[in-house]
């Protein structure tokens, strides 16, 4: 159970004054040692990017990346308080705290886990249907590339995904695996873990081709959950925090801590099994055959051709 860490992360981040160094200090207190904080700025906004590495026992074991994806934890001054979009950051901070606590108690995982997110209590918003989106406080490409690490063997991207009428389910859902421009079959290993963690049938969030392309092409995207797949050649799976109704990412009072806790617990269970070599995000041999038959789809990881 990671509810204590989720509550602590929520209370820590629910502040107009919170910043990356304060979150790093909190995580140091939980036993995390390898923490990187970098302030990123734009003309009107800034955010503190964070990356935490929790070492495993076996340096040769696969490394899981956990990305807390979001625009911002707050939309000040337009909104007062924590916004719905903050789920990714809460989950990432809670996961880092829980893994650090586990390691301090002797339960170090087999492989390393690298957790990335950013802390922005005053992010902008932008229009979107059916509900407004939180926007990025800094350049999306710079932030997207920073979230990844060359050592990551596979990536989970945790993102609030309640601003749609596609997944009418309160809880969490996973996406099909995405790699190098291909939307691959849903991982059976991941659905097994999801069902164990939630005690419910696995829910899968559907994807379109647009969803796995960069935001820079200005096409419709369900949200930013699969943007990490644009910047890596490793397999990426979205972990969506979902609702039965459409909830704006910029709404306050909408945080569901029990659902965030499920996303944290799911991510940790995936990390355990990935490091032990018993959790596959996709069939590697079939992926190789798919590419041999149909060629590369990596052009979908670019902004595409210029239209006259």
């Amino acid at each position: 159970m990671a509810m204590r860490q989720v509550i602590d992360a929520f209370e820590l981040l629910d502040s107009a004054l919170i910043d990356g160094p304060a979150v790093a200090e909190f995580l140091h207190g939980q036993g995390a040692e390898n923490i990187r904080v970098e302030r990123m700025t734009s003309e009107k906004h800034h955010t503190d990017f964070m990356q935490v590495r929790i070492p495993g026992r076996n340096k040769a074991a696969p490394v899981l990346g956990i990305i807390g994806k979001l625009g911002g934890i707050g939309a000040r001054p337009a909104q007062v308080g924590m916004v719905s979009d903050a789920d990714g950051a809460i989950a990432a901070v809670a996961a880092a705290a829980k893994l650090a606590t586990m390691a301090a108690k002797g339960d170090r995982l087999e492989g390393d886990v690298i957790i990335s997110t950013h802390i922005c209590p005053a992010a902008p918003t932008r229009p979107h249907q059916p509900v407004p989106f939180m926007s990025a406080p800094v350049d999306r490409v710079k932030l997207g590339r920073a979230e990844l690490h060359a050592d990551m063997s596979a990536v989970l991207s945790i993102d609030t995904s309640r601003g749609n009428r596609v997944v009418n389910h309160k809880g969490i859902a996973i996406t099909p695996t995405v790699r190098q421009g291909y939307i691959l079959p849903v991982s059976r290993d991941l659905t097994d873990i999801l069902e164990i963690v939630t005690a419910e049938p696995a829910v899968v969030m559907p994807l379109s081709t647009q969803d796995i392309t960069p935001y820079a092409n200005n096409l419709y995207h369900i949200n930013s959950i699969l943007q990490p797949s644009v910047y890596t050649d490793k397999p990426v799976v979205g972990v969506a925090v979902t609702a039965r109704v459409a909830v704006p990412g910029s709404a306050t009072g909408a945080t569901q801590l029990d659902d965030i806790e499920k996303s944290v617990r799911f991510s940790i269970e995936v990390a355990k099994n990935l490091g032990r070599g018993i959790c596959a995000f996709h069939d590697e041999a079939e992926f190789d055959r798919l590419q041999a038959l149909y060629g590369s789809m990596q052009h979908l990881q670019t902004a595409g051709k210029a239209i006259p």
Side-chain angles (χ1 to χ4, degrees):
M1 185 64 68
M3 186 59 78
R4 179 189 295 275
Q5 287 76 21
V6 170
I7 293 173
D8 287 347
F10 176 88
E11 293 296 340
L12 175 70
L13 298 180
D14 190 18
S15 166
L17 306 177
I18 192 64
D19 59 12
V23 178
E25 182 180 356
F26 164 75
L27 291 175
H28 276 303
Q30 304 301 305
E33 297 179 354
N34 191 339
I35 305 172
R36 179 168 71 90
V37 179
E38 176 188 352
R39 174 149 294 192
M40 297 182 177
T41 61
S42 63
E43 184 177 343
K44 296 182 179 180
H45 300 276
H46 70 267
T47 190
D48 289 339
F49 169 77
M50 296 189 63
Q51 194 163 79
V52 185
R53 187 166 192 150
I54 309 296
R57 295 180 300 194
N58 180 2
K59 291 304 178 185
V63 175
L64 180 66
I66 300 174
I67 296 175
K69 196 71 183 168
L70 72 160
I73 60 174
R76 298 171 179 88
Q79 297 279 56
V80 175
M82 184 88 78
V83 296
S84 174
D85 201 47
D87 289 4
I90 299 170
V93 173
K98 180 64 176 179
L99 287 165
T101 300
M102 289 170 59
K105 292 180 177 180
D107 278 337
R108 191 175 296 279
L109 305 192
E110 194 70 15
D112 290 7
V113 181
I114 301 174
I115 304 127
S116 303
T117 194
H118 68 100
I119 308 301
C120 180
T125 61
R126 65 184 177 89
H128 184 269
Q129 293 296 329
V131 291
F133 266 1
M134 293 289 291
S135 191
V138 297
D139 180 69
R140 288 192 183 97
V141 175
K142 181 181 178 181
L143 184 58
R145 293 188 186 281
E147 289 168 342
L148 294 151
H149 191 287
D151 290 348
M152 293 177 179
S153 307
V155 177
L156 293 177
S157 173
I158 306 174
D159 196 359
T160 306
S161 301
R162 299 187 288 223
N164 64 79
R165 294 190 174 95
V166 176
V167 183
N168 302 319
H169 165 79
K170 180 186 180 302
I172 62 173
I174 62 172
T175 69
T177 301
V178 174
R179 186 176 184 189
Q180 297 179 35
Y182 276 103
I183 300 176
L184 301 172
V186 179
S187 165
R188 176 58 63 87
D189 291 342
L190 294 182
T191 57
D192 286 347
I193 295 172
L194 184 62
E195 291 181 344
I196 290 170
V197 165
T198 63
E200 294 180 345
V203 177
V204 176
M205 186 168 110
L207 297 176
S208 67
T209 301
Q210 290 110 296
D211 296 325
I212 66 169
T213 61
Y215 266 180
N217 60 22
N218 293 318
L219 295 173
Y220 177 88
H221 293 73
I222 191 167
N223 66 353
S224 64
I225 194 166
L226 262 303
Q227 286 303 291
S229 72
V230 171
Y231 306 109
T232 181
D233 61 355
K234 305 298 173 54
V236 179
V237 169
V239 182
V241 182
T242 59
R244 295 189 66 182
V245 296
V247 178
S250 55
T252 57
T255 306
Q256 306 294 327
L257 296 184
D258 56 330
D259 296 335
I260 298 173
E261 193 276 337
K262 291 173 186 173
S263 74
V264 173
R265 196 153 28 98
F266 170 77
S267 300
I268 291 173
E269 293 304 310
V270 171
K272 290 178 185 178
N273 288 0
L274 183 75
R276 294 165 60 199
I278 58 172
C279 178
F281 276 45
H282 68 296
D283 185 319
E284 191 77 43
E286 186 165 280
F287 179 67
D288 291 342
R289 178 163 172 75
L290 185 64
Q291 290 186 303
L293 288 169
Y294 296 101
S296 171
M297 295 293 284
Q298 287 182 290
H299 57 280
L300 290 172
Q301 295 178 279
T302 73
K305 297 179 180 178
I307 300 175

